[in-house]
Each structure stands twice: as structure tokens, then as C-alpha cells.
Amino acid sequence: MCGIIGCAGRSEDTLDVLLSGLEGLEYRGYDSAGVALANGSLDVCKKQGEIARLQQAVGGLRGPVGIGHTRWSTHGPPTDANAHPHTDCTGDVAVVHNGIIENYEELKTELRERGHEFTSDTDSEVVPHLVEERLAEGASFEDAFRAAVARLEGSYALAAVTADSEAILATRHDSPLVVGVGDDAAYLASDVPAFLEYTDRVVYLEDGEFARLESGSWTVTDAEGRLLDKSISRVEWDAEETAKSGYDHYMLKEIHEQPRALRKALRGRVDEMTGSVDVESLAGLSPSSVQFVACGTSYHAALYGAQLLREEGVPAQAFLASEYATAPAPVDDDALVVGVTQSGETADTLSALREAHRRDVETLAMTNVVGSTATRECDRTLLIRAGPEIGVAATKTFSSQVVACNLLASTVARGEDAREVVGALRDLPGQVQELLDDSRAEQVADRFVDGAGYFFIGRGYHHPVALEGALKLKEITYKHAEGFPAGELKHGPLALVTDETPVFALATGDDEQATKTVGNVKEVEARDAPVVAVTDGVSDVGRYADEVLRVPETHPRVAPVLANVQLQLVAYHVANRLGRSIDKPRNLAKSVTVE
Ligand code: F6R
């Protein structure tokens, strides 16, 4: 939540760099935004609303050093006053913050008693005042910043500037921050896409480290001020991947990027001839049991993964990360805990992984983001290689997570020969493309855009997709939607089914599960509900449906990805008809760094 950008050393266009960086970070929060530029004095501009409002208001601020912020409110509503950067009483210190300062009330009271005045409801505003006090005592900017940070409890990524210093100071604890190394300038951001246009060389900060960015130079020190020898990594994403490239929305672009993302997820990792899977980071892995921890869409992938492993003879369960530590499930010595997290920064998932560490269990981060907190804290990493996902609604990363679950399952498999599955995975990108080229999702969306509510049902591997279909629809259309295991509908939710509630039924193949789902479809049809069958046409589910969304025939483990792509398209087109803010749905943020 919240995005931070900083830039030192580009005196002519610092403001442009900050504003375009904020656009690249808007997925992290978009209810207000602001910038501060230092140039002997400090110019601050901040506005409630999306970044476009800030752009209109900001005028021609200039300066060699600047910081910016896009906010997802935690303390206080989205107003101009609560937007970052926050300043001290003198107006000479500006700070941007991502995270939550837990002891802010105590600090605020203390600062008020010493005469400080606050202008916002935020927790973050205590920081510039703490810096101000030390500066007033004669400390250097760096010592003042370190002393202020030492007073904080909670999670934070912080960046600060002062009117007359040509440096940005930054630090982190449980919130991401990465330095970008340019030729003549240095950058700072919550996430790489914010400065990818200018440099692909990055330095990931660890908790407790401090960065100092100046014109063309950067240093990182530890909490005691000792210089650290940090290595520079090159990110593989390019700026084109973070642009809309002619699509109306990032979400639609990312749905269409799935064939490419899936090919990348498999590249160099599977051998179709032998059916063998060889993922370096999973070498030697042979867990006695597996626990998945994840949230939202990633949790749906985790549910799928757990089922897959159980089928391979490995005991496995999926947990909502936010509940994992509440009543910890027993775990054996050789267990593996897998954190499924696109961003690698989700606070609930990180907290569950830390719980696993406390219990001395081996951990694996299944993530899309190189260098993210999850990758740094887990024992192993399995990258899903989906490329940057900007739309708040996760799409291509779900598909890539499903593939990654298959790579994991094949590695630790105690069951059947993987050749067939590997063959199906290799065909998957082409089949997704086929489906994208010829989908009736838009017509289905048109027909059912006025639904009073929507239900999604599926059994087995289609159950997580039913949940995911409902989540996607509700988050971007703001319409009520629920997903259920198909057999569960009759145990209560059927009472809600009417002729105004379309039911999306997922049924591929003609196994027992598909046959039973057809039975459930008949039940809803008898209650006059419009039915949309998502099917490969093998079973006769289409006979009982008002609309059919076809998917190519494939292995039962792979079919859910195809079915899900149809549901992504339906959600997108319904939201588009309704004129929703598809890439930035209300109240949400992509990277949820608070618990
Ligand atoms: C929904 C969505 C969220 C995320 C969830 C976990 O479209 O994107 O439900 O899946 O917030 O995020 P990650 O995967 O980054 O841990």
C-alpha cells in the first residue's frame, strides 16, 4: 500500500520523473498523491484524488532532489492534508512513508507537549517533526533522520528531504524500497516499474539499512552507519512491459499477455520428451507435507496447488495467510511452507511465512517479484515469471502460479508419470491464445450485465477457479458474486438463486465430477437461473445452459487455467460496460502491505 518515489541528480526534469514514477506506482494506492522538491527551499504540492489531479495542480516545481508519494489511506481519510509528503513545523523537512507507525499516538502526544503542531490525521506526520527536533539541536540531516527512525515502531519505508540538503535519505522496515542506479542520477521507489524507464540497475534495501541518494551517487549503510558493499542487480523487465501498449486497460493487456507469460514460466524447466521437470531452486526438495499460505487470488492458486500435491500423494493444505498464525496447524519436521504471493510483499503472507520460520519449517516463496521481501526471507524461491502486473486485479499471475504449482508438484511427486501433464502444460499457451482469439465473453457480459448477483460453481480443480471468477467479478464490477464448490450450492446458497442471478458453471471432461456438476446445473436451471457453461463440450452441460463459453480440451489439471481466462474476460467486459475504474478499483491496492 502506498508508493514512494525519489530522484536525485536530474535537476531539469525531477518533477517529471516523480510524476511518471507515481503513475507507475498508482496500483499501490490512488486516493491522494504529492511531491516535494528541494532547491534551497522546499516546495510541496499534494492533492486528494488520482495523480492526474496532482499533475494539474503542481505547476513547474524544480529542484535537483525530490520525493513523491501515492497513498492508500490507513490513518485519516483521503484529503489534501492527509496526503504525503508531510512536513515539520518549519516547512523545511518533508517525509513520505509507506506502512504503519504503531506508536504514533504516543509520539504525537510527546511532540505536541513540546510545541509541535500537526496538520493531518496520519501516523506518518510524526516523522518530520522528530527529524526537525534533532536538526534544531544541531545534528546533521543524516543523524537527525537516524535518530527519528530509532523512535519508530511498526512498519515503514521512509524517504526524507530537507530544503537545503542535496540528498534523499531513506530506510525500510517491513515495507519495500529499492534504489535505482542511473548514470548521473539515483532513484528510489517502492517498486522497480516506477523508474524502469531510466534504469534497470537496482539495489534492494534490506530491513534496517539506510540509503543516501545524491546527484549521481548512492550509498547504503547499516543501522550503525557502517558502509555496506551492496551488489547491483539487473532487472529483466523492460519499460515496454509496464506500458499499456494500445490496450484500454492494463487488465486487458495482462489477460492477453498470458500465452507469453506461461511460456516464460515453463522455459528451461520442463522436458516434454521425458516428462521431467527440473527447477534449480527446487533441487533436492522432498517435503513430508506442504502448507500453502496466501491471500486473495494467490490463495485460490494455493487451493489448487494443495489439491495437486494431495493427488501426488503429498499431504497438503492451503491456508488464508491472515489466519495462519491464529490457530497454527500442526506441522512436521520435514514440512514445507509455500508462500504464494505475486508481489512478494503482502503483509499477511509475510507474517505467515515468519510464523513458519519461528517453527523452524523450510519455506518457499512462489512469487513474481525478484528481490521482494518474500524472496529474501524464504529459504527457497520459485519465480513464476509472469512479468510486471500493473492492473490491481490479478490475472496473468494466477495462471503462472498454477503452472508453478505444477512444477512444484512434479518435483515432489510420489504419484503418476508427469509426461502427460507436462505435454498439456506445453500446449497451454497456444490454447490460451486460441481462446483469446475467439471468445464469446463479451457477448455473455453484455447479456448478463444487469444481473442482481452472480454465482460461480465448479468441483475439484474448478473449485478454486469458481472462487477466483467470483472475486474477479466483484472486485472490478462492484457487483455481488460468490463462488462455491458445485455440490455445496444446495446446502444453503441455492436460496439466493433466481432468474436474476446468472450461474457460471465450470465443467470440463466427462469424469464423475463433470457429471455431478451437470446435475447441479439442472438444479439451478429448475430455479429459472440463467446458466453460463464454461466447458470443453465433452459433457452435455451445454444442453442446460443459456450461454456456452468454450475452452479447448486438455488435461484436467490444466483445464482450470483455460476456464479462468474466460471468466477474466467476462469480469473485464461487465466492468467495462458499467464504466468502472478497471485497473484501479475503489478501495483496493495491489500490494497490501498492512495486516
Ligand atoms: C485480486 C488480487 C488480490 C491479491 C492478494 C494477494 O485480484 O490481486 O486478491 O491476490 O492481495 O496479493 P499477492 O499475490 O501479491 O500476495
Side-chain angles (χ1 to χ4, degrees):
M1 329 296 254
C2 302
I4 288 178
I5 176 84
C7 168
R10 294 178 62 121
S11 48
E12 291 309 308
D13 62 355
T14 307
L15 181 62
D16 294 340
V17 174
L18 297 181
L19 292 175
S20 77
L22 288 179
E23 278 174 352
L25 290 168
E26 220 176 354
Y27 69 89
R28 300 180 66 87
Y30 33 82
D31 58 36
S32 50
V35 290
L37 279 89
N39 192 2
S41 66
L42 199 61
D43 294 323
V44 179
C45 181
K46 46 195 205 166
K47 280 276 164 250
Q48 182 267 327
E50 293 192 5
I51 286 157
R53 291 199 64 218
L54 174 70
Q55 275 163 339
Q56 281 161 13
V58 77
L61 302 189
R62 289 170 79 87
V65 175
I67 53 176
H69 187 270
T70 178
R71 179 169 186 248
W72 186 86
S73 312
T74 55
H75 294 68
T79 59
D80 289 358
N82 287 335
H84 298 218
H86 290 287
T87 47
D88 65 327
C89 299
T90 65
D92 284 343
V93 180
V95 172
V96 288
H97 167 225
N98 169 27
I100 291 186
I101 295 168
E102 281 157 12
N103 60 337
Y104 84 101
E105 279 179 348
E106 176 191 323
L107 292 170
K108 218 168 184 176
T109 309
E110 191 186 292
L111 285 158
R112 273 204 181 106
E113 280 166 10
R114 293 200 291 270
H116 292 265
E117 284 180 15
F118 289 85
T119 56
S120 79
D121 310 314
T122 66
D123 52 339
S124 317
E125 199 186 352
V126 296
V127 185
H129 291 273
L130 289 170
V131 175
E132 175 195 356
E133 287 205 328
R134 292 305 175 107
L135 287 173
E137 288 163 17
S140 66
F141 178 28
E142 190 155 336
D143 287 346
F145 182 66
R146 283 175 186 278
V149 171
R151 298 292 318 277
L152 308 179
E153 287 165 20
S155 62
Y156 46 81
L158 288 165
V161 291
T162 63
D164 52 10
S165 158
E166 294 211 341
I168 300 173
L169 299 182
T171 188
R172 61 159 282 173
H173 180 75
D174 284 353
S175 290
L177 213 49
V178 54
V179 172
V181 181
D183 290 337
D184 305 312
Y187 307 87
L188 179 80
S190 303
D191 199 359
V192 173
F195 55 63
L196 196 55
E197 204 180 325
Y198 311 107
T199 183
D200 59 359
R201 291 183 299 146
V202 302
V203 176
Y204 295 104
L205 292 186
E206 303 286 339
D207 277 356
E209 292 181 349
F210 286 76
R212 183 184 181 96
L213 275 63
E214 280 166 289
S215 174
S217 74
W218 58 275
T219 51
V220 178
T221 47
D222 66 10
E224 280 73 44
R226 288 180 295 247
L227 197 61
L228 296 171
D229 185 15
K230 299 282 288 183
S231 59
I232 298 179
S233 324
R234 239 175 227 282
V235 287
E236 284 178 17
W237 298 351
D238 59 45
E240 177 58 24
E241 285 185 282
T242 60
K244 264 195 218 153
S245 312
Y247 286 92
D248 287 342
H249 298 95
Y250 280 111
M251 182 181 176
L252 190 59
K253 177 186 178 228
E254 287 155 6
I255 290 173
H256 281 266
E257 279 173 346
Q258 289 177 109
R260 180 170 172 222
L262 293 167
R263 273 187 204 102
K264 279 170 100 175
L266 292 168
R267 190 166 300 147
R269 290 168 159 181
V270 297
D271 182 332
E272 203 182 340
M273 294 303 286
T274 60
S276 64
V277 169
D278 186 6
V279 183
E280 209 183 321
S281 66
L282 301 182
L285 199 59
S286 180
S288 53
S289 63
V290 175
Q291 295 183 343
F292 288 89
V293 291
C295 309
T297 292
S298 294
Y299 172 67
H300 301 151
L303 281 172
Y304 168 91
Q307 192 179 333
L308 203 58
L309 283 162
R310 288 197 298 271
E311 209 175 75
E312 291 291 0
V314 181
Q317 286 168 284
F319 295 88
L320 283 167
S322 54
E323 290 292 316
Y324 183 69
T326 320
V331 69
D332 35 75
D333 285 350
D334 298 321
L336 175 73
V337 172
V338 181
V340 186
T341 166
Q342 180 282 129
S343 61
E345 301 294 348
T346 300
D348 288 322
T349 308
L350 293 176
S351 161
L353 288 166
R354 286 171 194 150
E355 173 63 24
H357 273 142
R358 272 191 291 279
R359 296 160 82 193
D360 277 335
V361 184
E362 185 171 14
T363 52
L364 169 74
M366 187 183 284
T367 185
N368 195 31
V369 183
V370 182
S372 58
T373 305
T375 65
R376 283 178 288 110
E377 293 192 3
C378 285
D379 303 308
R380 297 172 186 256
T381 294
L382 174 55
L383 291 172
I384 64 167
R385 302 182 181 163
E389 190 176 68
I390 310 288
V392 163
T395 51
K396 61 176 177 172
T397 52
F398 175 82
S399 300
S400 301
Q401 284 167 344
V402 166
V403 167
C405 285
N406 275 285
L407 298 176
L408 175 64
S410 297
T411 305
V412 304
R414 292 172 200 163
E416 58 180 81
D417 185 351
R419 214 168 325 175
E420 233 186 292
V421 181
V422 166
L425 289 173
R426 293 292 293 266
D427 291 341
L428 183 60
Q431 291 182 318
V432 172
Q433 190 61 57
E434 201 182 308
L435 184 162
L436 289 170
D437 291 343
D438 184 23
S439 168
R440 281 187 48 75
E442 193 167 354
Q443 288 92 318
V444 169
D446 270 346
R447 181 164 172 190
F448 296 119
V449 64
D450 293 325
Y454 302 82
F455 295 100
F456 294 77
I457 56 171
R459 285 170 186 262
Y461 291 120
H462 284 313
H463 166 218
V465 173
L467 300 182
E468 176 58 11
L471 177 63
K472 216 68 351 179
L473 193 92
K474 69 183 118 179
E475 71 181 319
I476 62 167
T477 69
Y478 315 153
K479 290 235 181 188
H480 187 249
E482 294 296 335
F484 296 101
E488 197 56 22
L489 201 64
K490 59 186 176 296
H491 295 292
L494 197 57
L496 297 171
V497 168
T498 69
D499 59 356
E500 291 182 90
T501 57
V503 176
F504 288 77
L506 309 160
T508 51
D510 60 355
D511 60 6
E512 201 187 332
Q513 290 178 341
T515 309
K516 285 186 178 168
T517 303
V518 176
N520 302 129
V521 165
K522 289 182 194 161
E523 287 155 19
V524 298
E525 198 212 6
R527 271 91 187 161
D528 295 329
V531 173
V532 181
V534 185
T535 178
D536 52 9
V538 177
S539 73
D540 63 351
V541 68
R543 275 182 46 205
Y544 308 99
D546 298 270
E547 289 280 355
V548 171
L549 291 170
R550 281 299 278 265
V551 297
E553 263 183 77
T554 181
H555 193 281
R557 290 188 182 180
V558 176
V561 174
L562 295 164
N564 190 52
V565 174
Q566 289 284 23
L567 299 186
Q568 292 170 347
L569 288 168
V570 171
Y572 173 82
H573 289 297
V574 172
N576 209 20
R577 290 289 171 283
L578 296 171
R580 302 295 192 230
S581 170
I582 293 180
D583 286 332
K584 291 174 281 175
R586 70 183 179 203
N587 304 338
L588 302 181
K590 189 152 188 75
S591 185
V592 187
T593 55
V594 292
E595 282 186 57

